[in-house]
Amino acid sequence: EVQLVESGGDLVQPGGSLRLSCAVSGFSISNYWMGWVRLAPGKGLEWVANIEQDGTQTYYVDSVKGRFTISRDNAKNSLFLQLNSLRAEDTAVYYCATVVVVAGAITYFDSWGQGTLVTVSS
Amino acid sequence: SYVVTQPPSVSVAPGQTARITCGGSMIGGYSVHWYHQKPGQAPVLVVYDDSDRPSGIPERFSGSNSGNTATLTITRVEAGDEADYYCQVWDSTTYHVVFGGGTKLTVL
């Protein structure tokens, strides 16, 4: 059974840092692009970042570029998101997901975790 | 970055047909994917590549994409279809993924 389980969400003060993890079971992530998507309270889904299979290519939404870092450990079948310089507007549930890529083109998110809540507040 | 626009809400009576649009400049040239999300749950893919359905998604869900508008159509709407629906595309020039703002489907 495919499972993605996020962890690491917490209440953090503005300017603080967090590291989110996504532990995957049921398949090897080494064959897949992976990504993070967030859902802020009262807002819609927002793509955050993607990373290709060996971690050499990473892409970010403009609002988090330079503050967030996506990474992966294929040996541990895990995905990570380092969140630095957090702002109130980063408050959201963060989901990890597999990214389906066809002929070099990113298509859609296939399997999703249940999410982990990040709250940025003083 | 590419922008896609959805109506904030759509309401439909049970048994009727709901149509949720996703507008964007020449969106017909993009592959459009649709998800639904219920409160407290993860998003679920309901249509991919404009009109294909993942296994387990009822035939009542279908999609189309042409010109400046992509459409998710749900026939014979049921109370359980009530959810937020999102369209999604990939901008190949920036490698960014773009979601629409979401449409809340209300079953009257």
Side-chain angles (χ1 to χ4, degrees), chain A residues 54-100:
Chain A
D54 64 5
T56 55
Q57 290 186 57
T58 58
Y59 301 92
Y60 301 89
V61 68
D62 290 347
S63 60
V64 309
K65 198 174 294 186
R67 300 188 299 122
F68 291 7
T69 302
I70 188 172
S71 63
R72 61 195 296 159
D73 185 336
N74 288 341
K76 294 183 177 179
N77 228 30
S78 294
L79 178 71
F80 306 99
L81 187 68
Q82 177 69 38
L83 291 68
N84 296 333
S85 302
L86 281 161
R87 306 166 179 167
E89 55 265 34
D90 296 318
T91 294
V93 175
Y94 286 73
Y95 300 95
C96 66
T98 56
V99 180
V100 175

Side-chain angles (χ1 to χ4, degrees), chain A residues 33 37 39 43-47 50 59-60 62 65 95 104-109 112-114, chain B residues 33 35 37 40-45 48-49 86 88-90 94-101:
Chain A
W33 281 67
V37 176
L39 180 67
K43 301 289 182 83
L45 293 175
E46 181 181 39
W47 167 73
N50 283 346
Y59 301 92
Y60 301 89
D62 290 347
K65 198 174 294 186
Y95 300 95
I106 290 172
T107 57
Y108 52 88
F109 297 97
W112 297 70
Q114 285 302 308
Chain B
H33 319 289
Y35 305 83
Q37 185 176 32
Q41 297 184 19
V44 174
L45 183 73
Y48 66 96
D49 291 348
Y86 297 92
Q88 176 248 304
V89 301
W90 175 61
T94 61
Y95 264 70
H96 286 192
V97 174
V98 179
F99 283 96

